[in-house]
């Protein structure tokens, strides 16, 4: 029996990014059916992006709401993209029963971060997170059981991210890795390796 036959399949997420919401609005029922059938471990990256030049807020909200409904019905975690839409996003998320909410590539103020943790949400820290002094200040107070680490689409090696976050939090990298892995097993219990 090979190693691959012992492990569950690699988890993946699937979802309609807010940048694609305008096009997706016209095909939403079909896309939601694909989401239900694809076997994703999470729905995402989904969310709202109200930065200048992305003013399709109505379509973004429609597409996000439909995906949150699907994620709730399927009992899947969601991976959230949030740019300049924090209040609306928090309001929309509160309306659904979701097993986990992970804010991807998180940048936010200490006040926003406190609200996310109070809601039981997770933060995923990537290279962009560590370029923001307000986010770094937020992370210094973060509970380890609510963190993930990512590289997103950067060329930054994941080991470099662990080193940077470990230094920021004053935690040895092996301990940080163990905590992050425990978070992964909590959010994705079907994919953790014993």
């Amino acid at each position: 029996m090979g190693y691959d036959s012992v492990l569950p399949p690699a988890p993946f997420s699937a979802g309609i990014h807010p940048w694609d919401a305008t096009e997706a609005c016209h095909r939403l029922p079909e896309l939601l059916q694909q989401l239900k059938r694809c076997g994703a471990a999470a729905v995402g990256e989904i969310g709202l992006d109200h930065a200048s030049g992305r003013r399709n807020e109505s379509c973004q909200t429609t597409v996000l709401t439909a995906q949150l409904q699907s994620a709730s019905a399927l009992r899947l975690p969601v991976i959230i993209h949030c740019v300049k839409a924090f209040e609306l996003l928090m309001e929309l998320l509160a309306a659904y029963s979701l097993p986990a909410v992970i804010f991807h590539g998180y940048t936010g103020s200490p006040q926003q971060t406190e609200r996310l943790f109070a809601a039981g949400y997770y933060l995923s820290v990537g290279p962009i997170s560590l370029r923001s002094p307000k986010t770094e200040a937020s992370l210094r107070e973060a509970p380890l059981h609510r963190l993930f680490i990512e590289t997103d689409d950067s060329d930054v090696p994941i080991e470099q991210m662990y080193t940077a976050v470990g230094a920021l939090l004053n935690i040895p990298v092996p301990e940080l890795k163990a905590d992050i892995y425990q978070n992964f097993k909590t959010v994705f219990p079907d994919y953790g390796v014993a």
Side-chain angles (χ1 to χ4, degrees), residues 12-183:
F12 66 92
S13 65
I16 303 164
H17 194 281
W19 296 352
D20 300 319
T22 301
E23 180 184 327
C25 265
H26 307 294
R27 301 178 44 221
L28 197 51
E30 168 197 346
L31 294 171
L32 291 174
Q33 283 303 315
Q34 289 177 8
L35 176 63
K36 289 177 183 176
R37 291 190 310 259
C38 75
V43 177
E45 170 182 347
I46 64 174
L48 299 173
D49 191 326
H50 292 177
S52 61
R54 304 209 186 277
R55 295 292 179 203
N56 57 347
E57 286 131 351
S58 176
C59 278
Q60 285 188 27
T61 302
T62 297
V63 169
L64 173 62
T65 301
Q67 291 180 100
L68 290 174
Q69 288 170 344
S70 289
S72 181
L74 296 168
R75 300 298 307 143
L76 292 175
V78 294
I79 301 169
I80 297 294
H81 174 98
C82 179
V83 177
K84 298 185 185 269
F86 183 81
E87 293 300 329
L88 177 56
L89 194 49
M90 291 296 284
E91 181 182 318
L92 292 171
L93 287 168
Y96 297 93
S97 174
L98 300 161
V101 174
I102 304 167
F103 275 72
H104 149 74
Y106 181 72
T107 57
S109 70
Q111 296 81 9
Q112 290 171 326
T113 305
E114 187 176 309
R115 286 180 60 196
L116 294 177
F117 290 138
Y121 299 160
Y122 293 82
L123 305 183
S124 187
V125 179
I128 194 168
S129 309
L130 300 181
R131 285 185 280 219
S132 166
K134 69 179 180 181
T135 304
E136 281 193 350
S138 299
L139 294 174
R140 284 190 184 94
E141 303 301 319
L144 288 178
H145 70 281
R146 293 289 174 197
L147 288 181
F148 285 98
I149 297 177
E150 65 180 70
T151 59
D152 197 15
D153 63 353
S154 75
D155 293 330
V156 175
I158 192 65
E159 287 297 324
Q160 186 175 328
M161 285 303 304
Y162 274 107
T163 300
V165 173
L168 178 69
L169 301 179
N170 197 27
I171 297 170
V173 170
E175 181 182 330
L176 180 60
K177 285 182 175 182
D179 287 329
I180 299 297
Y181 185 60
Q182 184 57 51
N183 297 344

